């Protein structure tokens, strides 16, 4: 950094200390500017939380949420992605129903019904895939771009404006001891930054109809999903009702037990299969040796407690791809916190997600 740059940083730091500690007043921005800045701040918080909640709404499973956020928009536009890359709960349920329906066979009313329901659930999973991809492309990605570009750029302009204000106020207090030209340049830079920040905030707030359009795309995608889901479930309900009517119209087969065959008990035998009982050997206390103590099964390797880790309070059996299973007492290395309910960690070389309620944090993740 140049000498002039170091001096400017010193001026700004001195002015900030005099305002925070000494109670000095700096240049006040007008009420319209402050109101605009407040609205931009509220918009930024709203977009960030709506994004997080939308992704959680589409996929409550944290492993699937991570894959959803990594979907490539360009690939979807080109038609290269037809599936989000993770199983839908409806699809898993459908595969389970189809598998057991086939095992029960065509002579079972329940088996045939399971096949019908399973195929419908698999169709629902395909519709849910389309919903996830549509919402990601037309709602999540545009809002994420708003956060990463427009809102980030406004924050940069506001930060620059604050720095130039501090520099101007420092020089204004020392008017007469510094050249007038230097004070004039500081004022011009401050007003220039204020105008740039004001323009960027104005453009964001005046074009918020774009966010309305994106919200409309979210609702349209949901409507399309629910319409298709209703159609699939209506067809399934009709099939099941038709099966019930057909089953009730068929005559019931009566159960006729087979006649019992006579059973010859024969000669009485000893209760242990005909072998004579041998007396149990007597065991004295002297027959035990210290070397006969049961050996303890070695526990899993524990990570050093100088790194983020937690201890399992209960057994956890993974139910979805990407989840990490463990046993009570295992010590797991923490690598990331997905949200307020889920952690990501490693155990015995395996990485995955697990619920916070199943563990006790020993060494927390750094903030």
């Amino acid at each position: 950094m140049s000498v002039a740059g170091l001096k400017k940083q010193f001026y700004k730091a001195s002015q900030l200390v005099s305002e925070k500690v000494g109670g000095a007043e700096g240049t006040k921005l007008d009420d319209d500017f402050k109101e605009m800045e407040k609205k931009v701040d509220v918009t930024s918080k709203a977009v960030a939380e709506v994004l997080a909640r939308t992704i959680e709404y589409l996929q409550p499973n944290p492993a699937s949420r991570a894959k959803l956020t990594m979907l490539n928009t360009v690939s979807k536009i080109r038609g290269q992605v037809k599936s989000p890359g993770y199983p839908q709960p409806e699809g898993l349920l459908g595969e389970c129903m189809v598998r057991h329906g086939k095992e029960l066979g065509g002579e079972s009313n329940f088996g045939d019904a399971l096949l019908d329901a399973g195929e419908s659930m698999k169709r629902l999973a395909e519709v849910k895939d389309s919903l996830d991809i549509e919402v990601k492309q037309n709602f999540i990605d545009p809002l994420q771009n708003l956060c990463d570009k427009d809102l980030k750029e406004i924050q940069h302009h506001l930060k620059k404006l604050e720095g130039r204000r501090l520099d101007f106020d420092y020089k204004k207090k020392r008017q007469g001891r510094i050249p007038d030209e230097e004070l004039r340049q500081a004022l011009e830079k401050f007003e220039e930054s204020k105008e740039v920040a004001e323009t960027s905030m104005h453009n964001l707030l005046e074009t918020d109809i774009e966010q309305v359009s994106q919200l409309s795309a979210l609702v349209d995608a949901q409507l399309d999903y629910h319409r298709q889901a209703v159609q699939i479930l209506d067809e399934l309900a009709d099939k099941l009702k038709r099966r019930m009517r057909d089953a009730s119209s068929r005559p019931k087969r009566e159960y006729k037990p087979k006649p019992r065959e006579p059973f010859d008990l024969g000669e009485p035998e000893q209760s242990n299969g005909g072998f004579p009982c041998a007396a149990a050997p007597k065991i004295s206390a002297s027959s035990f040796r210290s070397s006969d103590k049961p050996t303890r099964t070695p526990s899993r390797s524990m990570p050093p407690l100088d790194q983020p880790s937690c201890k399992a309070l209960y057994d956890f059996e993974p139910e979805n791809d990407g989840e990490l299973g463990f046993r009570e007492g295992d010590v797991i290395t923490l690598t990331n916190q997905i949200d307020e309910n889920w952690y990501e960690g490693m155990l015995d070389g395996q990485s995955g997600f697990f619920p916070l309620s199943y563990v006790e944090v020993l060494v927390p993740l750094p903030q």
Side-chain angles (χ1 to χ4, degrees), residues 51-320:
L51 267 175
R53 297 298 181 186
T54 302
I55 295 173
E56 187 176 345
Y57 154 73
L58 289 177
Q59 282 302 330
N61 181 4
S64 298
R65 283 207 299 274
K67 292 181 180 179
L68 176 63
T69 56
M70 290 186 292
L71 274 179
N72 188 297
T73 304
V74 177
S75 296
K76 292 197 300 292
I77 294 173
R78 293 174 179 171
Q80 296 172 1
V81 176
K82 296 182 180 179
S83 169
Y86 48 80
Q88 300 287 359
E90 295 89 344
L92 297 175
L93 175 59
E95 291 173 1
C96 168
M97 288 179 168
V98 169
R99 183 174 67 254
H100 290 296
K102 289 179 178 178
E103 290 176 355
L104 287 170
E107 295 182 359
S108 167
N109 291 322
F110 183 41
D112 288 339
L114 279 176
L115 288 172
D116 290 339
E119 292 299 332
S120 296
M121 290 298 160
K122 288 163 72 174
R123 289 173 60 196
L124 281 177
E126 294 176 0
V127 176
K128 186 64 165 58
D129 284 344
S130 300
L131 171 69
D132 287 2
I133 293 173
E134 188 76 16
V135 172
K136 178 70 167 59
Q137 177 179 338
N138 297 322
F139 183 70
I140 294 175
D141 285 349
L143 286 186
Q144 189 65 56
N145 185 62
L146 181 68
C147 282
D148 296 341
K149 187 179 177 183
D150 298 347
L151 290 171
K152 196 173 183 179
E153 185 177 313
I154 290 174
Q155 291 305 317
H156 169 74
H157 292 321
L158 290 173
K159 186 177 180 181
K160 192 172 183 179
L161 171 64
E162 178 64 9
R164 288 185 170 180
R165 182 196 68 78
L166 291 170
D167 180 61
F168 168 66
D169 285 342
Y170 177 86
K171 292 175 180 176
K172 186 172 65 172
K173 283 196 311 184
R174 286 152 182 79
Q175 188 173 6
R177 288 179 286 173
I178 61 172
D180 290 343
E181 179 63 21
E182 192 173 337
L183 179 60
R184 186 186 64 80
Q185 289 179 358
L187 176 59
E188 286 181 355
K189 288 183 178 180
F190 167 66
E191 290 179 341
E192 177 189 346
S193 286
K194 179 176 179 294
E195 184 177 347
V196 171
E198 210 164 23
T199 301
S200 62
M201 290 191 296
H202 174 80
N203 291 339
L204 174 74
L205 296 175
E206 285 299 310
T207 57
D208 62 351
I209 192 64
E210 294 180 10
Q211 285 75 64
V212 179
S213 173
Q214 292 148 11
L215 192 60
S216 176
L218 168 67
V219 175
D220 287 342
Q222 290 175 301
L223 277 172
D224 186 50
Y225 164 73
H226 286 294
R227 285 192 193 103
Q228 294 186 61
V230 167
Q231 181 180 351
I232 292 170
L233 293 175
D234 277 342
E235 293 174 1
L236 174 61
D238 289 341
K239 285 183 181 179
L240 295 179
K241 289 175 182 176
R242 191 161 53 247
R243 287 192 180 279
M244 287 189 291
R245 287 196 301 268
D246 292 344
S248 61
S249 63
R250 287 196 298 264
K252 293 184 178 180
R253 294 179 297 175
E254 293 185 5
Y255 171 70
K256 294 181 179 180
K258 296 180 180 179
R260 297 182 180 181
E261 297 181 0
F263 180 68
D264 185 10
L265 296 176
E267 295 295 327
E269 298 179 356
Q270 299 189 30
S271 61
N272 63 349
F275 294 96
C277 295
K282 294 183 178 180
I283 302 176
S284 63
S286 61
S287 63
F288 287 101
R289 298 191 302 273
S290 59
S291 60
D292 294 331
K293 293 180 179 179
T295 57
R296 183 185 297 271
T297 304
S299 60
R300 302 194 190 193
S301 59
M302 293 178 57
L305 293 182
D306 59 348
Q307 60 181 341
S309 57
C310 62
K311 184 177 181 181
L313 300 175
Y314 320 100
D315 293 353
F316 177 65
E317 296 292 341
E319 297 180 355
N320 300 290

